[in-house]
Amino acid sequence: MTRIITVGAAQLGPIARAESRSQVVERMLSLMHQAKGNGCDMVVFPELALTTFFPRWYFESQEEVDAFFERDMPSVETQPLFDTARKLQLGFYLGYAELIEEQGSLRHFNTSIVVDRNGSIVAKYRKIHLPGHDQHEPWRRFQHLEKRYFETGNLGFTAFRANWGDDAQDAARQGIFGMAICNDRRWSETYRILGLQGVEMILIGYNTPVHNPPAPEHDALSHFHNELVMQSGAYQNGTWVVGVAKAGNEEGVEQIGNSIIVAPSGEIVAACTTTGDELAIARCDLDLCNSYKTTTFNFARHRQPEQYGMIVERKGAIPPP
Ligand code: CDT
């Protein structure tokens, strides 16, 4: 059996601070139409896809911060994405800043959702590995205040079943999916926790500046590290990985593009080549995962978690001499 899902990595070029949600949504709709014209079943948009990457600025007022957040999903501005999904029968992954009242208090998360071909939200994820810092650091050329503006995600790495076929029973188009957001992709736990749930495709949106202020010596390696983590995460867990950037010079900050679709072999099978709005497409056979999940990375047969436990019991690192 082959279970082929045709996926579009729907990279977005820079989004100016002055650009409205509706203007961005227009750009996204154009990518959705292109994707449908090229036979896609779903598209993956970047992290925080609806606005500029606002954690690069320090804001004194919470009101200014909250203006970048979505209180409703869908909202008036994002409803066309859901309507178009239904009209084109095309699913999507969307990253956005979520402001929600939970347990009587207002909470801020860096969130992603998967919407199916009928325009229904089928899964939600809230970013766990928040990078950057929580205080204004004026020495930086630009800030990375995710730890100030977001809370750590509280939904875990939870795999879910999704169906991209014509009807709910169409087993040929069913698969096990997972989500992650940007910095999560650098952590092996992300892939392994989803891998242990049998994930077959991990969807990841990101915004990655080329320049890393605390470690500028990494700048020249930013593409290498981007590919390294997603390729190894795919291979070591026998899963497809779709990584999609918000790219280009956004408000004076250069962001990597390098959106890629990685096969369970670890090979890159499609890639964006610009730093603008661009679609990279791959026909992804979910059954390719089995070749890795039943041999080299047959977890039930080859993992040795009881032995790893002994290392954990040593309570961390070996003390210095
Ligand atoms: N948005 C986000 O998570 N960006 C981080 C920047 C970290 S600097 C290495 C990322 O991991 O790409």
Side-chain angles (χ1 to χ4, degrees):
M1 193 172 87
T2 52
R3 287 175 299 143
I4 293 177
I5 315 284
T6 302
V7 178
Q11 177 176 286
L12 289 172
I15 297 175
R17 189 167 164 189
E19 211 164 325
S20 69
R21 304 279 203 291
S22 299
Q23 286 172 308
V24 179
V25 165
E26 275 305 312
R27 289 166 55 182
M28 297 166 85
L29 296 179
S30 160
L31 287 165
M32 287 176 81
H33 281 279
Q34 276 181 52
K36 188 64 193 177
N38 284 280
C40 289
D41 296 301
M42 65 178 301
V43 294
V44 178
F45 291 117
E47 172 192 34
L48 301 174
L50 299 168
T51 66
T52 198
F53 187 75
F54 63 90
R56 74 167 63 91
W57 291 292
Y58 172 68
F59 298 106
E60 299 257 344
S61 113
Q62 190 60 40
E63 208 182 322
E64 267 187 294
V65 178
D66 287 352
F68 293 99
F69 281 74
E70 311 304 313
R71 289 166 191 268
D72 299 300
M73 188 55 67
S75 60
V76 173
E77 293 102 330
T78 53
Q79 185 65 47
L81 295 169
F82 292 73
D83 295 342
T84 303
R86 201 174 313 112
K87 192 173 98 198
L88 300 180
Q89 292 287 288
L90 177 79
F92 64 86
Y93 162 110
L94 171 72
Y96 65 98
E98 179 189 19
L99 179 51
I100 187 166
E101 195 176 324
E102 256 182 18
Q103 293 149 0
S105 56
L106 276 182
R107 311 196 63 182
H108 298 73
F109 295 105
N110 188 340
T111 296
S112 60
I113 48 172
V114 164
V115 173
D116 72 9
R117 51 197 279 144
N118 298 315
S120 304
I121 297 175
V122 293
K124 180 184 273 193
Y125 167 71
R126 290 169 174 160
K127 185 173 181 177
I128 290 174
H129 298 102
L130 295 172
H133 47 112
D134 63 1
Q135 296 298 317
H136 187 210
E137 295 185 1
W139 63 268
R140 292 173 182 251
R141 189 149 59 75
F142 53 89
Q143 305 292 299
H144 199 115
L145 285 159
E146 284 196 59
K147 285 192 193 296
R148 184 178 188 87
Y149 299 145
F150 299 111
E151 288 175 65
T152 305
N154 59 357
L155 301 177
F157 288 110
T158 308
F160 56 96
R161 279 187 189 280
N163 188 328
W164 309 100
D166 292 335
D167 77 68
Q169 305 312 316
D170 184 358
R173 300 295 197 84
Q174 275 184 23
I176 303 175
F177 291 77
M179 288 187 269
I181 302 179
C182 197
N183 191 258
D184 288 324
R185 78 193 188 288
R186 301 187 193 277
W187 299 84
S188 55
E189 293 91 324
T190 300
Y191 305 91
R192 181 50 49 92
I193 293 164
L194 290 168
L196 287 167
Q197 297 168 74
V199 76
E200 295 172 311
M201 182 177 284
I202 304 177
L203 314 172
I204 307 175
Y206 60 89
N207 282 260
T208 299
V210 174
H211 176 51
N212 183 5
E217 65 277 18
H218 301 176
D219 294 1
L221 298 169
S222 57
H223 281 227
F224 168 66
H225 288 154
N226 184 52
E227 293 175 1
L228 175 71
V229 291
M230 290 195 277
Q231 289 184 262
S232 52
Y235 171 63
Q236 291 174 347
N237 295 280
T239 179
W240 289 88
V241 172
V242 184
V244 182
K246 173 123 71 58
N249 189 317
E250 192 177 87
E251 298 288 357
V253 176
E254 208 60 58
Q255 311 215 96
I256 67 165
N258 199 206
S259 302
I260 50 175
I261 301 178
V262 185
S265 61
E267 294 165 291
I268 296 172
V269 296
C272 289
T273 55
T274 71
T275 50
D277 292 6
E278 184 183 344
L279 196 63
I281 298 171
R283 292 179 79 242
C284 305
D285 181 358
L286 299 183
D287 285 325
L288 248 183
C289 300
N290 297 337
S291 167
Y292 293 87
K293 288 187 192 295
T294 59
T295 61
T296 314
F297 295 109
N298 181 334
F299 290 167
R301 189 152 182 223
H302 303 306
R303 282 183 82 246
Q304 302 293 347
E306 328 71 52
Q307 302 305 319
Y308 312 152
M310 294 177 67
I311 296 167
V312 172
E313 273 168 28
R314 279 202 216 126
K315 304 223 181 329
I318 297 169

